[in-house]
Amino acid sequence: EAQVTQNPRYLITVTGKKLTVTCSQNMNHEYMSWYRQDPGLGLRQIYYSMNVEVTDKGDVPEGYKVSRKEKRNFPLILESPSPNQTSLYFCASSPRLAGAPGETQYFGPGTRLLVL
Amino acid sequence: KQEVTQIPAALSVPEGENLVLNCSFTDSAIYNLQWFRQDPGKGLTSLLLIQSSQREQTSGRLNASLDKSSGRSTLYIAASQPGDSATYLCAVTGGSYIPTFGRGTSLIVHP
């Protein structure tokens, strides 16, 4: 089954404790991205990657890191989480850049993060 | 900077009604506009994708139109059903290739 998976689905942590949220897709997509969703603010893109070893900042990259060593995986790293990073996080993938003709993004189920 | 507004924010209707959800955007220089559905506890599911050169797209009971010059899109849902209850999001993508999402319309269709 074609899908985007994220782990963990739920995470409670404390300020400053490094964490990684994994994202994996089995559709051989080149493009992957991370979003956060907050009440009243909607979905905002954190980082995106156009292919292996190619990443770029989205609208809200501060406090986050990403890496793209393999095509299928795109982990999101919070080196020193803070309470303002409490949010619902989504990973997404698409065959090519969002905006390219005919492209659509496929979203993972989300990771709900609480930073105390 | 692109801004996307969705009206209404919430909608509750009886089953069987035809619905119109609205999305407006401030910068008409877009590549495409996409409508998503989000169910509680789940990710987003793409419903319809309209390229900037297109005026509308249809899928089953759903029809989305795009008027780029006026910065508007509408999602029309025919003969609504309780299973249509969800949050509907619209997103536009322009030259930055970073999609800008609206805050969504929360729809409840009651039997």
Side-chain angles (χ1 to χ4, degrees):
Chain A
E1 178 189 356
Q3 60 182 349
V4 179
T5 57
Q6 297 178 226
N7 282 291
R9 294 289 313 279
Y10 304 91
L11 180 59
I12 301 174
T13 189
V14 296
T15 298
K17 185 175 181 181
K18 180 180 178 180
L19 67 90
T20 299
V21 183
T22 65
C23 172
S24 182
Q25 49 93 6
N26 62 1
M27 296 169 278
N28 201 36
H29 285 170
E30 291 185 357
Y31 181 88
M32 297 184 74
S33 59
W34 276 103
Y35 295 86
R36 59 178 291 174
Q37 186 177 34
D38 302 288
L41 294 176
L43 272 136
R44 294 175 293 168
Q45 193 178 69
I46 302 170
Y47 269 96
Y48 66 94
S49 168
M50 292 191 287
N51 214 325
V52 175
E53 302 293 0
V54 181
T55 63
D56 209 345
K57 297 177 181 179
D59 281 335
V60 288
E62 295 77 19
Y64 304 94
K65 285 176 57 178
V66 293
S67 69
R68 188 90 181 275
K69 293 184 171 55
E70 304 168 283
K71 198 172 187 179
R72 62 182 292 132
N73 296 323
F74 190 44
L76 179 69
I77 303 158
L78 284 71
E79 294 270 4
S80 183
S82 61
N84 65 12
Q85 292 178 299
T86 292
S87 187
L88 178 58
Y89 291 87
F90 289 102
C91 178
S93 74
S94 66
R96 292 179 296 161
L97 262 179
E103 294 307 338
T104 186
Q105 292 194 79
Y106 298 83
F107 280 77
T111 295
R112 190 167 293 278
L113 172 65
L114 172 61
V115 183
L116 301 173
Chain B
K1 183 180 177 182
Q2 180 75 270
E3 293 182 5
V4 179
T5 303
Q6 291 188 244
I7 294 173
L11 192 57
S12 179
V13 299
E15 182 176 7
E17 281 203 4
N18 299 324
L19 307 173
V20 176
L21 307 183
N22 297 293
C23 171
S24 62
F25 46 96
T26 55
D27 185 350
S28 61
I30 65 170
Y31 290 133
N32 65 36
L33 182 144
Q34 194 162 7
W35 283 93
F36 292 89
R37 168 184 173 138
Q38 184 175 20
D39 293 283
K42 296 186 179 180
L44 280 68
T45 301
S46 177
L47 297 173
L48 292 164
L49 172 68
I50 312 176
Q51 299 300 331
S52 62
S53 58
Q54 298 174 322
R55 295 299 299 257
E56 66 176 341
Q57 284 284 343
T58 298
S59 176
R61 292 183 295 109
L62 304 179
N63 175 277
S65 66
L66 173 64
D67 184 343
K68 211 171 72 161
S69 61
S70 67
R72 294 180 182 179
S73 175
T74 59
L75 177 66
Y76 178 80
I77 304 175
S80 59
Q81 303 171 356
D84 294 330
S85 298
T87 297
Y88 291 80
L89 297 165
C90 123
V92 297
T93 303
S96 69
Y97 294 105
I98 298 174
T100 301
F101 284 80
R103 297 178 186 179
T105 293
S106 177
L107 172 65
I108 296 175
V109 181
H110 47 88

